[in-house]
Amino acid sequence: MKQGALIFDEQADRYDIRFDLADYYGGLHCGETFDVMVGGKWKPTRIEMAGDWYLVGVRADDLTGLRVRI
């Protein structure tokens, strides 16, 4: 598994995962699953869109910068 941080790609209008300075996942699509760090523990989730992007089962005002692994 690779770890990185969620970033918003404005050109693609979707979230992506940045692993390193020039290493990206390639854009997340609705329904894709991964783990997110919440309260010091990894929690499985999936990304969805309903007017705005959100993670199922995760409360966050802004997804940008959340630690994830996929």
Side-chain angles (χ1 to χ4, degrees):
M1 288 191 137
K2 291 177 80 173
Q3 292 186 32
L6 285 179
I7 59 145
F8 189 73
D9 181 347
E10 292 185 21
Q11 289 180 335
D13 196 31
R14 68 180 61 248
Y15 276 89
D16 200 348
I17 302 172
R18 184 176 185 174
F19 300 112
D20 204 352
L21 290 176
D23 186 14
Y24 294 83
Y25 180 71
L28 293 167
H29 298 272
C30 288
E32 285 199 67
T33 60
F34 50 89
D35 297 331
V36 63
M37 180 65 73
V38 177
K41 296 181 180 181
W42 291 107
K43 180 176 183 173
T45 188
R46 73 177 186 273
I47 195 162
E48 296 291 349
M49 168 68 125
D52 203 4
W53 292 97
Y54 67 96
L55 300 179
V56 174
V58 177
R59 290 185 138 183
D61 292 332
D62 186 7
L63 303 181
T64 301
L66 291 179
R67 279 184 35 193
V68 297
R69 68 181 183 186
I70 193 165

